[in-house]
Amino acid sequence: MLSRERSNALRQSTDRILVSHAGNLPRPDYLNELIEGGVTLEAAAGDEYHRRLPRAVQDVVEQQVLLGVDIVNDGEFAKAGSYGGYMIDRVTGYSTPPEDSAPPPKRAGTWSATGENSLGITILDFGPLAPAVLSVLGLPRRVGCAPPIREPHGYARQWLPTPAK
Amino acid sequence: MVTYSGQVAVQADVEHLKAAIQGKDVEGYIAALGPLNLGAGVRNEHYSIEEEYMYAVSDACREEYKTITDAGLIVQVDEPEFCTSWTFYPDWDVDDLRKYLSFCVEVINHAIAGLHEDLVRFHTCWGSGHRPHVNDIQLRYIADLLIKINARQYSIKAASVRHEHEYHVWEDVKLPEGKRLMPGVISHATDLVEHPELVAERLVRYAKLVGRENV
């Protein structure tokens, strides 16, 4: 039986396991036709995309209901496949330093402001957002420096609680 | 100075989803980027210390989350960085990582402070890139920190061949009372369609460990 601890709260079920998913769902053709060959987030910011969005969300919710999903979402269609990159348009305070400033990367695996792309824009310092940003810009990607394989053998014994059984 | 400017956009997200679920026997959720994923990889040149910067990032994120939860929808805080931070600092050992993640828990809790916990789902994973994942931090080193995040529900990758075995972690780490676990039991990392009985097996493993009503 489904029960709610409060109105609109996360459900709990004692007779079956509830179904949800983590986010991005396939877009319908009538959205993809605005994106194909274009730039994802840029297309998703367009008037026509926004005009078609409510119907697309309605359709994807109905599809989830049909499939038995209990906790549904909007397919992340407004984010157009960029789970992180969308946020670039929703925050202020980040800027792009001059091309010749060439700051070193903040950390390993972070895109350098220079390097093979030679873009000189610190939007690449967005770390995990960088691939999304590069995708938006339609630029080639380069894998950041890979850390060595590390396996901290024995560490768990130092802090893990003793199993109860 | 980091500020949130997406009020109109997130309000539209909320309205579209609310209209779509109206009259249906379902809950609605919207994913929103976590503060670590937004800010941790970016160089801070404005705030005096990194901590101050990350709290400002959290404040900005909270505006997006609050619009979602104020509408009665569930916010899914998307925060792969909780797992993937390990790969950005190759000189760290696990103690260093855990010290950093303890700070991250504070940052995340600051971002969701004041929101109704029932409406907060925390999602983390090791990234969906189709790569060997040999540098993924093991869940057993960070699970006790994960459950310090003030979310009702923890969504975590649980079906890829690199992480499927980690249900055993919950034999040692107790899911706190009132919390729910949302293991990802269908993997994006294989082209094969998993047999329903395999998916069921994955679910039952978790149900036996944390209680069926908490999965």
Side-chain angles (χ1 to χ4, degrees):
Chain A
M1 184 66 79
L2 291 176
S3 67
R4 297 176 187 226
E5 293 171 1
R6 60 181 284 277
S7 176
N8 292 320
L10 282 171
R11 293 174 175 210
Q12 188 171 40
S13 172
T14 52
D15 63 358
R16 68 185 179 85
I17 288 170
L18 299 177
V19 179
S20 190
H21 59 87
N24 192 33
L25 298 176
R27 286 181 298 269
D29 290 343
Y30 57 85
L31 284 184
N32 272 340
E33 70 184 18
L34 297 175
I35 288 174
E36 200 172 340
V39 176
T40 305
L41 278 175
E42 196 173 279
D47 290 341
E48 183 57 23
Y49 194 94
H50 278 276
R51 195 183 67 74
R52 298 181 188 186
L53 203 49
R55 181 193 151 193
V57 174
Q58 187 81 42
D59 287 349
V60 80
V61 163
E62 284 173 8
Q63 198 173 3
Q64 290 170 79
V65 172
L66 196 65
L67 293 170
V69 179
D70 299 289
I71 306 169
V72 302
N73 81 337
D74 56 4
E76 299 190 14
F77 293 162
K79 301 174 176 73
S82 178
Y83 84 95
Y86 84 96
M87 198 62 155
I88 294 167
D89 292 331
R90 297 191 185 187
V91 288
T92 59
Y94 292 109
S95 61
T96 305
E99 187 172 350
D100 58 3
S101 64
K106 183 175 178 179
R107 59 188 188 181
T110 302
W111 290 77
S112 168
T114 56
E116 288 180 15
N117 291 305
S118 300
L119 293 170
I121 54 173
T122 321
I123 195 72
L124 300 185
D125 265 349
F126 262 86
L129 293 188
V133 174
L134 290 171
S135 173
V136 169
L137 297 173
L139 297 169
R141 302 175 178 207
R142 181 172 65 91
V143 177
C145 72
I149 296 172
R150 293 173 295 161
E151 196 56 41
H153 292 296
Y155 185 85
R157 284 192 294 277
Q158 296 173 31
W159 65 270
L160 267 183
T162 307
K165 58 185 181 183
Chain B
M1 184 176 175
V2 180
T3 55
Y4 186 71
S5 59
Q7 290 88 354
V8 172
V10 69
Q11 190 61 43
D13 294 346
V14 163
E15 286 169 10
H16 293 154
L17 184 59
K18 286 206 80 168
I21 64 173
Q22 191 172 16
K24 297 182 175 67
D25 188 25
V26 292
E27 308 287 350
Y29 83 90
I30 292 178
L33 196 63
L36 306 179
N37 268 74
L38 174 59
V42 187
R43 187 185 316 284
N44 161 41
E45 293 181 348
H46 176 79
Y47 300 90
S48 55
I49 55 172
E50 183 75 2
E51 286 75 8
E52 188 188 355
Y53 160 65
M54 286 307 298
Y55 274 93
V57 171
S58 288
D59 286 333
C61 288
R62 192 190 309 111
E63 285 203 46
E64 176 147 295
Y65 307 160
K66 191 170 186 307
T67 303
I68 295 167
T69 58
D70 279 356
L73 298 171
I74 294 159
V75 63
Q76 171 174 295
V77 178
D78 272 343
E79 198 75 289
E81 282 246 350
F82 196 79
C83 290
T84 60
S85 292
W86 172 245
T87 57
F88 295 128
Y89 299 96
D91 53 328
W92 281 2
D93 61 20
V94 175
D95 283 323
D96 294 327
L97 175 74
R98 289 178 53 80
K99 186 178 172 190
Y100 173 70
L101 287 184
S102 296
F103 167 65
C104 292
V105 169
E106 291 177 25
V107 168
I108 294 161
N109 281 340
H110 185 73
I112 57 180
L115 307 182
H116 198 296
E117 190 175 301
D118 270 353
L119 296 176
V120 180
R121 172 201 283 183
F122 183 79
H123 170 80
T124 191
C125 61
W126 293 264
S128 55
H130 204 68
R131 53 183 181 268
H133 283 271
V134 289
N135 288 306
D136 290 1
I137 188 70
Q138 295 185 56
L139 182 62
R140 62 182 176 144
Y141 298 124
I142 61 174
D144 64 319
L145 297 172
L146 171 71
I147 58 176
K148 289 182 177 172
I149 293 167
N150 297 327
R152 173 68 72 216
Q153 192 178 74
Y154 305 106
S155 157
I156 191 157
K157 183 183 288 188
S160 83
V161 293
R162 192 72 194 179
H163 295 285
E164 181 174 357
H165 66 287
E166 291 183 319
Y167 66 89
H168 286 295
V169 167
W170 304 102
E171 294 166 359
D172 298 329
V173 178
K174 183 173 165 43
L175 186 69
E177 185 74 28
K179 304 286 189 178
R180 316 228 180 102
L181 203 57
M182 178 183 157
V185 291
I186 297 176
S187 179
H188 64 279
T190 172
D191 295 334
L192 280 67
V193 177
E194 291 123 320
H195 197 283
E197 288 183 21
L198 172 63
V199 176
E201 274 190 25
R202 288 171 174 160
L203 281 170
V204 169
R205 287 173 196 157
Y206 282 96
K208 284 180 176 170
L209 284 169
V210 304
R212 59 196 293 178
E213 70 282 9
N214 297 318
V215 178

